[in-house]
Amino acid sequence: MSKESDDFYNRVFDVVRLVPHGRVTTYGAIARFLGAARSSRLVGWAMNRSHNIIPIIPAHRVVNRAGILSGKAHFNDPNEMQRLLELEGVVVKDDQIINFDDVFWDPASMDL
DNA sequence: TGAATGACTCGAT
DNA sequence: GATCGAGCCATTC
C-alpha cells in the first residue's frame, strides 16, 4: 500500500469521526466529499481497515445509501452496531435505519 | 501480470 | 415502484 492511498483512508476515517452524535452518513457521501464519487467501494475498503486504526472509528455511523447496516457483519459483534446506533437515538429495525432521512448527515453540509 | 473480490451506487427493465 | 444487472476503483491472491 502506498502512502498516498493511506492518506485517502486517513481522510475517510477523519470524515467518519466528524459525523455528529446521533447522525449517520453514507459511503457515497464520504466518497463524493473526498472527490472520489465513483469510489464508494474504496470507502468500504477503508472501513474494513478501520479495525486497526486508532482512535477507534465510529463505523456504526456509516451505512449504505439505503440506510442499511451493510457493514454490521464486520464488527466484533454484529449486534453492537445496531446497539450503538439505538444508543444514539437512531431507530434501527431489521438492520435498517427507519428515520434514515432524518438522521442522515452529509459531510459536505457540515459547518466549517 | 491477470483475475477475483468487496462495509456501494446508479441506471435500465 | 420494485428488482436486476453493470460499472468503478483499489487491494489481494
Side-chain angles (χ1 to χ4, degrees):
Chain A
M1 42 180 145
S2 60
K3 193 172 184 179
E4 295 186 4
S5 50
D6 266 10
D7 186 55
F8 174 78
Y9 292 142
N10 206 344
R11 292 182 196 173
V12 173
F13 302 143
D14 193 42
V15 173
V16 176
R17 282 194 230 105
L18 286 174
V19 178
H21 186 271
R23 297 270 192 254
V24 297
T25 190
T26 66
Y27 302 96
I30 296 172
R32 192 158 56 162
F33 178 71
L34 295 178
R38 280 133 177 111
S39 302
S40 52
R41 297 189 145 211
L42 277 302
V43 178
W45 257 159
M47 299 310 298
N48 208 325
R49 292 191 165 190
S50 65
H51 290 280
N52 292 330
I53 301 299
I54 298 175
I56 300 173
I57 309 298
H60 61 276
R61 292 180 187 156
V62 184
V63 297
N64 63 4
R65 90 174 210 88
I68 300 173
L69 312 186
S70 50
K72 74 161 202 166
H74 291 259
F75 276 70
N76 292 333
D77 292 324
N79 292 333
E80 190 172 328
M81 185 173 185
Q82 180 174 339
R83 189 176 63 182
L84 287 170
L85 286 172
E86 290 180 340
L87 199 67
E88 296 184 354
V90 179
V91 182
V92 180
K93 183 179 182 181
D94 289 336
D95 304 332
Q96 185 173 1
I97 297 175
I98 302 300
N99 54 343
F100 175 67
D101 192 51
D102 189 44
V103 298
F104 173 71
W105 178 81
D106 193 334
S109 51
M110 68 173 153
D111 289 335
L112 295 175

